[in-house]
Amino acid sequence: MPSFVASVNLGTVGDDITSVKLYACTDSSCTSCVSLSGYTSVLVSSFPRNIGDIPIGTTNIKVESIGRCNVSQCISIVGIPTATPTPTATNTPTPTPTPTSTPIPPTSTPIPPTSTPIPPTSTPTPIGPTSTPTNTPTPTPTPNCNFNVDISNSTPTPTPTPTPTPSTCLIYNLSVSSGASADFSYVDCNGNAANILVPSGDNPSICSLTTPYVIGGNGSVINTNSICAN
């Protein structure tokens, strides 16, 4: 199925939102949506990042918080690619057989009468009322569930409608925070998505149109704010 990639930035996120779930929607109110495979539980700390395998025909992305907060946002995508529709085959309906039923004659079984002896009753001695202590409820703190989502830079894969490449390509320094290596994803100066595996102890510099992000291991990214040479 044709798909495309969109860059998603969560912006300002409340402290009580740690993970989100992403949906692809075909309407502006995000009522007709499907869950995006591979993005059912995404750490907030991994944004901004590129979201791939978005079906052609998607107009909006729904971002839904997971856990304590119950908030979501419906955001339209900028620069949506288009695809040529595929003719839909017409299905021939299969006739449904008419069900039949056979009546079952009612049966009855006589129930013999029964009697239950009534035991003698005693008059209870009244007991004075007792008081129950009232517990004072502890107020529940209001969670910080604010977040602002920004979705832009749509790039089709494959490319039914090419998206213009931004003119600024900056230099970023990559390094491994802990472990043997870290895997980074970025967009090169030609607008192509790329990955790079950095071993521990290496500190390579790359040119990217967007801020690289870690997709495996623990790593860090430093923006030198220097423009790459053509």
Side-chain angles (χ1 to χ4, degrees), residues 16-20 64-71 145:
D16 290 290
I17 300 177
T18 57
S19 299
V20 294
E64 180 181 80
S65 66
I66 298 175
R68 184 179 181 185
C69 296
N70 185 19
V71 293
C145 298

Side-chain angles (χ1 to χ4, degrees), residues 8 10 20-36 39-40 47 51 54 58-65 70-77 147 149 151:
V8 178
L10 293 186
V20 294
K21 183 177 181 179
L22 304 182
Y23 299 82
C25 306
T26 57
D27 63 322
S28 59
S29 59
C30 290
T31 57
S32 179
C33 306
V34 294
S35 176
L36 281 173
Y39 302 98
T40 55
F47 289 88
I51 304 302
I54 301 174
T58 300
T59 60
N60 291 64
I61 293 291
K62 179 181 178 182
V63 183
E64 180 181 80
S65 66
N70 185 19
V71 293
S72 64
Q73 285 198 11
C74 180
I75 308 298
S76 60
I77 305 175
F147 69 112
V149 181
I151 303 175

Side-chain angles (χ1 to χ4, degrees), residues 195-219:
N195 292 345
I196 180 173
L197 182 65
V198 178
S200 178
D202 286 2
N203 296 281
S205 297
I206 62 170
C207 293
S208 178
L209 292 173
T210 61
T211 302
Y213 60 92
V214 179
I215 60 175
N218 294 314

